Amino acid sequence: DGGITQSPKYLFRKEGQNVTLSCEQNLNHDAMYWYRQDPGQGLRLIYYSQIVNDFQKGDIAEGYSVSREKKESFPLTVTSAQKNPTAFTLCATRERGGTDTQFFGEGSRLTVL
Amino acid sequence: AQSVSQHNHHVILSEAASLELGCNYSYGGTVNLFWYVQYPGQHLQLLLKYFSGDPLVKGIKGFEAEFIKSKFSFNLRKPSVQWSDTAEYFCAVNAGRNNDMRFGAGTRLTVKP
């Protein structure tokens, strides 16, 4: 939703190459997430971060790494170990309190050449 | 671990038909429940959510969902669909200390004009 910017929207990488996807938010949300969306499998959690300088692996963390040096930013690095040829990844933030609703960016599509 | 099941992979309806999309979850404790919608080429948007109170929740664009605790279900309904409702719909459940959000595999809805 508004306030979450993912870039780039489309990215091509060569085998053996690492690439980094950016996620920036101005919602002042503490928690941030990375999901991968695969057809027929819904959204699966790659990594999440509840606060700055802390992050945890999700269900499909292999081949990915993250950092959380600033509250506003949660970049995702896709390493050469990630074998999925094409992936649509989504960044999300979580609103604290109440129902803890998550808000999503527009996504980035990564293709391996 | 909690899981979310969406019964229908692809639903095709004519305009003005009624819609019901099934969602069941496996977690036994207190949960927050969500339906998200992804229109073609757009990011995920919150359609509606339930966290307490009236089990019949009304969302945007005429959608509603009913939480039936005894059946672990949170089905999405709309009395009369429109062509513009063509989208993919995701059910999600949020429970646990780490705010672990689990998504269903998604249901693709096609509404024929």
Side-chain angles (χ1 to χ4, degrees):
Chain A
D1 208 350
I4 303 172
T5 303
Q6 286 187 240
S7 63
K9 288 189 176 180
Y10 300 96
L11 184 61
F12 297 90
R13 82 175 164 99
K14 299 176 182 178
E15 282 191 10
Q17 184 182 29
N18 295 353
V19 295
T20 298
L21 305 177
S22 167
C23 179
E24 302 282 328
Q25 57 111 348
N26 62 5
L27 300 171
N28 200 34
H29 290 170
D30 288 313
M32 298 185 73
Y33 303 79
W34 277 105
Y35 292 92
R36 195 173 82 204
Q37 184 178 359
D38 297 301
Q41 299 190 62
L43 277 69
R44 291 182 290 169
L45 185 64
I46 303 173
Y47 267 96
Y48 66 98
S49 169
Q50 304 276 30
I51 57 172
V52 174
N53 292 323
D54 181 67
F55 49 83
Q56 305 294 331
K57 292 182 178 180
D59 296 326
I60 55 168
E62 183 177 353
Y64 299 96
S65 65
V66 294
S67 63
R68 187 84 188 278
E69 297 177 2
K70 299 186 301 181
K71 187 175 185 177
E72 302 79 20
S73 178
F74 190 41
L76 175 74
T77 297
V78 185
T79 73
S80 56
Q82 173 49 241
K83 301 302 181 187
N84 197 297
T86 299
F88 186 65
T89 53
L90 290 164
C91 178
T93 68
R94 176 169 59 90
E95 174 185 62
R96 180 174 290 279
T99 60
D100 294 323
T101 302
Q102 291 193 6
F103 298 87
F104 289 83
E106 294 191 349
S108 295
R109 185 169 296 280
L110 174 64
T111 302
V112 177
L113 299 176
Chain B
Q2 63 196 72
S3 64
V4 181
S5 299
Q6 291 183 240
H7 312 303
N8 310 100
H9 178 61
H10 189 191
V11 173
I12 303 172
L13 295 173
S14 298
E15 277 196 313
S18 65
L19 170 72
E20 180 160 2
L21 301 182
C23 174
N24 286 89
Y25 62 93
S26 63
Y27 189 70
T30 301
V31 294
N32 294 332
L33 299 159
F34 305 82
W35 276 97
Y36 283 87
V37 60
Q38 188 174 34
Y39 298 103
Q42 296 188 28
H43 62 280
L44 267 79
Q45 303 170 38
L46 182 66
L47 201 53
L48 49 77
K49 59 189 178 186
Y50 169 83
F51 59 102
S52 67
D54 189 344
L56 185 61
V57 179
K58 294 194 183 299
I60 60 172
K61 303 186 180 185
F63 285 91
E64 65 179 30
E66 185 175 12
F67 171 50
I68 302 179
K69 189 174 182 179
S70 61
K71 295 185 178 180
F72 297 90
S73 70
F74 189 55
N75 292 355
L76 181 71
R77 300 195 292 248
K78 186 171 183 178
S80 176
V81 294
Q82 300 172 321
W83 176 79
S84 59
D85 293 325
T86 294
E88 190 153 17
Y89 293 81
F90 294 92
C91 180
V93 176
N94 178 317
R97 292 182 297 113
N98 292 326
N99 192 248
D100 189 8
M101 183 85 98
R102 295 283 168 164
F103 287 83
T107 297
R108 187 156 61 100
L109 172 65
T110 301
V111 180
K112 295 182 176 180

